[in-house]
Amino acid sequence: MQKDRIAYVDQIRVFLTCLVVAHHAGQAYGPTGGVWVVDNVAKAAWLGNFFFINASYMMGLYFFISGYFLVFSIKRKRNAAFTKDRLKKLGIPLLFFTLLVFLPFN
């Protein structure tokens, strides 16, 4: 592990990632509505409580952690380099999925 990493923040992120996987894996089996490829007629009612509690903090905590460390990233790279790096990391995959995945399915 790099010396400038904060171990407990990484552990929180791993835990939140597990919650995201559990949340999305359970959506087809719980009372969330929507159309799913895999659909169970008998919905598990207890998943509704899990979704409610999980959704109330999971993504908000992700965004909070991201926003906290964003300041340090911008200071390290400066505005132009940071924006260029983000466009490469996020813009290219977004463009790819928009043109080759989302548009053909819609």
Side-chain angles (χ1 to χ4, degrees):
M1 184 185 269
Q2 297 174 0
K3 64 179 180 177
D4 60 346
R5 307 251 341 152
I6 304 172
Y8 70 89
V9 174
D10 287 337
Q11 293 167 354
I12 291 171
R13 290 174 58 208
V14 168
F15 175 70
L16 290 173
T17 301
C18 292
L19 286 178
V20 168
V21 171
H23 190 101
H24 285 95
Q27 280 186 322
Y29 306 103
T32 60
V35 177
W36 300 96
V37 177
V38 176
D39 195 16
N40 191 357
V41 178
K43 300 293 183 188
W46 64 271
L47 281 174
N49 294 331
F50 169 70
F51 295 147
F52 178 76
I53 294 168
N54 193 28
S56 67
Y57 71 90
M58 178 187 52
M59 288 309 294
L61 188 53
Y62 256 133
F63 286 127
F64 179 77
I65 291 170
S66 174
Y68 180 79
F69 290 105
L70 181 71
V71 175
F72 302 112
S73 184
I74 291 173
K75 283 182 181 178
R76 187 176 62 238
K77 291 184 180 179
R78 298 290 175 218
N79 291 341
F82 176 79
T83 304
K84 182 180 176 184
D85 184 49
R86 288 294 154 183
L87 281 174
K88 274 197 304 191
K89 286 183 179 179
L90 300 175
I92 293 171
L94 179 64
L95 185 64
F96 173 80
F97 275 95
T98 299
L99 295 176
L100 299 177
V101 176
F102 298 141
L103 289 178
F105 283 113
N106 286 326

